[in-house]
Amino acid sequence: QQQVRQSPQSLTVWEGETAILNCSYEDSTFNYFPWYQQFPGEGPALLISISSVSDKKEDGRFTIFFNKREKKLSLHITDSQPGDSATYFCAPFNTGNYKYVFGAGTRLKVIA
Amino acid sequence: EAAVTQSPRNKVTVTGGNVTLSCRQTNSHNYMYWYRQDTGHGLRLIHYSYGAGNLQIGDVPDGYKATRTTQEDFFLLLELASPSQTSLYFCASSGTNQAPLFGEGTRLSVL
């Protein structure tokens, strides 16, 4: 059962462009939506998160857009930098049960 | 500083061997998790726990046991390792209403 879907599987953008990473889910009880960033050889690190009561969360160049009705969210990375090259995971959960389910990830490559 | 420490960082064993992966967190978090990461699958939850002595089954538990001995320590046990368990394993911990904090991972090879 694939509860969390991420697209695209991989994405290449030029430096300075906006990268858009998508996530959709099935479980309507999910109410918290963190995104993780993972560099090769490291563990995933929390990048930015949003709760289901908001439709947008911004942190510097990173913005989450959330559509609760459609069960979709997206991570926008503006002015992409080569240092943003990493794999990004969407990991929605329900704060009632703390069972975190990760999507398969989007591998982002930013070309200088 | 919040930390999740995994040991060993690398492990090689043979098919049928016994392996224990260790995880310690110093964050006073109640929740701890074991994931495996494989290309094309992202992170898949093996077992998790919300306190000492507690164990919850994740999505891919077959072939794995886990034990939470204290609030700080969570162990993953492979009693008869198989090549299909060759993977990168991550431990994580989280507090109430917090996203998990991950360790640096253990790379396991089963020959």
Side-chain angles (χ1 to χ4, degrees):
Chain A
Q1 179 185 3
Q2 199 167 6
Q3 297 187 48
V4 181
R5 291 183 173 85
Q6 290 189 245
S7 64
Q9 195 171 18
S10 64
L11 176 65
T12 299
V13 300
W14 293 100
E15 183 176 0
E17 291 185 333
T18 296
I20 300 175
L21 291 65
N22 302 301
C23 177
S24 64
Y25 60 95
E26 298 174 3
D27 190 337
S28 58
T29 67
F30 288 152
N31 58 3
Y32 189 64
F33 304 86
W35 283 84
Y36 283 81
Q37 180 187 57
Q38 185 181 29
F39 296 108
E42 299 182 8
L46 180 64
L47 178 66
I48 185 172
S49 60
I50 192 170
S51 73
S52 58
V53 299
S54 302
D55 56 15
K56 181 181 176 181
K57 176 75 174 289
E58 204 168 341
D59 185 356
R61 297 185 294 109
F62 301 91
T63 303
I64 299 174
F65 293 93
F66 176 59
N67 185 322
K68 186 174 182 177
R69 184 180 60 83
E70 295 188 8
K71 298 182 189 174
K72 292 181 178 179
L73 58 160
S74 60
L75 174 67
H76 291 225
I77 306 174
T78 57
D79 188 25
S80 296
Q81 301 296 309
D84 297 330
S85 297
T87 301
Y88 292 82
F89 294 98
C90 174
F93 71 99
N94 180 313
T95 52
N97 66 25
Y98 291 91
K99 182 183 175 183
Y100 295 83
V101 178
F102 281 71
T106 293
R107 183 175 294 180
L108 174 67
K109 183 175 181 180
V110 181
I111 300 173
Chain B
E1 183 178 326
V4 177
T5 304
Q6 294 183 232
S7 62
R9 293 296 311 279
N10 293 280
K11 176 73 177 178
V12 180
T13 190
V14 295
T15 299
N18 237 317
V19 176
T20 297
L21 306 184
S22 302
C23 178
R24 166 163 284 200
Q25 56 101 358
T26 57
N27 313 312
S28 300
H29 287 165
N30 290 328
Y31 299 87
M32 295 187 74
Y33 309 83
W34 278 107
Y35 290 88
R36 62 177 289 174
Q37 185 173 31
D38 306 287
T39 303
H41 290 280
L43 290 121
R44 292 183 290 176
L45 182 63
I46 305 171
H47 290 298
Y48 63 112
S49 165
Y50 56 74
N54 174 265
L55 182 66
Q56 302 294 315
I57 295 173
D59 296 322
V60 290
D62 293 346
Y64 301 96
K65 292 184 179 180
T67 180
R68 180 90 175 268
T69 55
T70 65
Q71 186 182 32
E72 294 79 19
D73 298 301
F74 196 29
F75 300 93
L76 186 67
L77 296 82
L78 292 72
E79 294 184 331
L80 287 171
S82 72
S84 65
Q85 294 176 308
T86 292
S87 187
L88 181 58
Y89 291 86
F90 286 103
C91 176
S93 71
S94 72
T96 303
N97 294 330
Q98 294 177 344
L101 175 69
F102 282 81
E104 295 186 340
T106 294
R107 189 168 294 279
L108 174 66
S109 296
V110 183
L111 305 177

